[in-house]
Amino acid sequence: MKTRPLGRNGAPVGAIGYGAMSFSDFYGPTTDAASMRILDACLELGITHIDTSDVYGKGRSETVIGEWLAARGGASPFVLATKGGITGKPERRFRNDKRYLTKSLNASLKRLGVEAVDLYYVHRRQAEREIEEVTETLAGFVKAGKVKAIGFSEISPASLRRAHSVHPVAAVQSEYSLSTRLPELGLKQTCEELGVALVAFSPVGRGLLTDRPPDAKMVRKIPFLKGNPRFMKPNLAENLRLTDAFRALAEDMGTSAATLSVAWLLRQGPHIHPIPGTRSLEHLREVAGAVDLTLSAEDMNRIEEVLPVGWAHGDRYSEAQWIGPERYG
């Protein structure tokens, strides 16, 4: 697989990474054995950037990765990224203080079975705590040898600049796809200017941008989607209708909708790193194929004609789901 650096001075990784939220039951039931088969396939496909978090399955995702590594002698063939800063006690909230993040990082390292993680993100920013202070905490982890590079998830361009002035930020994680274009309002440009990787999660629009999009029956089985505006009536029907044209375009171009949507993201710049997540080996191979799909300017125009900016019906999050990510524009 073609590679690109994870940040200006970061390690080269496969242009497409893997988001290991799917190692929990977030998008449907799975097994640890199935997750390990996904990791086997990632290695075969050249997907070397694995992204997880301490809250994915309450540590289950990290544990699965750690057990996979242990079964192979402990040395990691992957660039491992994990996150901390969300606590579910007594309710879902955010803590970025040094004491909490230190405890979270140590627990993550233990579950992963590694002495240092390649990239450590603050998963959600604690709004009342200055980001400069949080960045100093992360810089301390680098100095201690527990973290090789630092990042933030779902922060604004302004917050990125403030953090980067304290210590180099290697990556910012944000939802970015043909259905979520918010990063184009400054985050993509700021990342490029500062030499920061923009790690794009949900690159196939939580399934909307695939040949097998979730229907109403499937949505009812997944709590997150059931409460998400884009998958609720009447928005879901309209979004499925609109993406039918995208599926037809992909077929006309001789590829799948998922492959085309990820290839579109890769075309946005060499600092963009899509991290699709899936429980399906077939779908994993499908999205990995995007690295071999070269899109011309005409191809990009055709895609934009079918799915212009702002096409999606419904916000990307409900009001409850919006708690944590920074809004900007």
Side-chain angles (χ1 to χ4, degrees):
M1 179 180 286
K2 298 172 185 175
T3 63
R4 47 184 57 183
L6 194 58
R8 180 171 289 158
N9 300 311
V13 295
I16 295 170
Y18 178 79
M21 179 181 276
S22 296
F23 290 176
S24 67
D25 296 329
F26 191 83
Y27 285 114
T30 190
T31 66
D32 293 353
S35 297
M36 291 186 183
R37 286 193 290 272
I38 289 287
L39 289 171
D40 290 337
C42 284
L43 200 58
E44 293 167 8
L45 293 165
I47 296 173
T48 55
H49 171 199
I50 306 296
D51 179 274
T52 185
S53 171
D54 63 351
V55 296
Y56 295 166
K58 298 180 180 179
R60 179 182 173 190
S61 178
E62 291 179 328
T63 299
V64 168
I65 295 168
E67 290 177 352
W68 187 91
L69 292 174
R72 285 152 184 78
S76 176
F78 299 121
V79 170
L80 296 176
T82 194
K83 301 180 281 292
I86 299 178
T87 174
K89 299 177 182 180
E91 70 280 333
R92 185 177 185 270
R93 59 191 180 94
F94 315 112
R95 283 188 59 181
N96 295 173
D97 58 277
K98 183 176 181 180
R99 180 179 179 182
Y100 182 80
L101 288 177
T102 299
K103 181 180 178 180
S104 297
L105 173 59
N106 288 339
S108 291
L109 293 175
K110 183 176 181 179
R111 284 189 290 267
L112 290 166
V114 296
E115 293 184 358
V117 69
D118 297 289
L119 175 59
Y120 191 67
Y121 294 94
V122 166
H123 203 160
R124 290 291 184 271
R125 185 182 168 197
Q126 183 182 355
E128 61 272 21
R129 190 174 295 276
E130 297 292 337
I131 199 167
E132 289 85 354
E133 175 195 331
V134 181
T135 308
E136 289 284 6
T137 296
L138 296 178
F141 296 156
V142 175
K143 187 176 181 179
K146 293 183 176 183
V147 168
K148 296 179 183 178
I150 68 169
F152 290 86
S153 181
E154 296 269 44
I155 63 168
S156 69
S159 291
L160 170 58
R161 289 186 184 280
R162 289 172 58 190
H164 196 75
S165 69
V166 175
H167 186 278
V169 175
V172 169
Q173 191 173 111
S174 181
E175 183 175 358
Y176 187 23
S177 71
L178 273 163
S179 60
T180 298
R181 305 283 288 270
L182 178 65
E184 294 173 7
L185 295 180
L187 186 62
K188 183 177 80 168
Q189 297 88 336
T190 303
C191 284
E192 182 176 22
E193 175 193 337
L194 299 178
V196 176
L198 176 52
V199 177
F201 70 84
S202 297
V204 295
R206 305 186 192 276
L208 281 175
L209 303 168
T210 71
D211 290 335
R212 299 167 293 280
D215 57 18
K217 182 179 179 181
M218 184 187 301
V219 167
R220 286 194 293 269
K221 297 178 182 178
I222 303 172
F224 178 86
L225 294 185
K226 188 166 60 175
N228 185 280
R230 290 188 176 169
F231 296 87
M232 298 169 69
K233 295 180 179 180
N235 294 331
L236 177 60
E238 193 63 16
N239 287 332
L240 290 174
R241 182 187 70 80
L242 290 166
T243 52
D244 278 345
F246 179 69
R247 282 180 276 279
L249 174 62
E251 184 178 11
D252 184 63
M253 294 174 68
T255 189
S256 74
T259 303
L260 184 58
S261 59
V262 175
W264 177 89
L265 260 179
L266 291 173
R267 185 75 157 66
Q268 299 307 309
H271 64 302
I272 309 296
H273 293 255
I275 52 166
T278 180
R279 295 169 293 146
S280 164
L281 291 171
E282 178 186 0
H283 183 56
L284 183 68
R285 295 188 180 100
E286 192 177 22
V287 292
V291 295
D292 299 317
L293 181 59
T294 302
L295 298 178
S296 66
E298 181 182 353
D299 293 331
M300 296 294 283
N301 288 335
R302 293 177 71 191
I303 294 169
E304 293 282 350
E305 288 175 6
V306 170
L307 294 180
V309 176
W311 67 267
H313 286 238
D315 202 349
R316 75 177 179 107
Y317 285 148
S318 67
E319 283 304 311
Q321 292 164 353
W322 262 118
I323 298 172
E326 290 190 343
R327 303 194 195 204
Y328 58 92

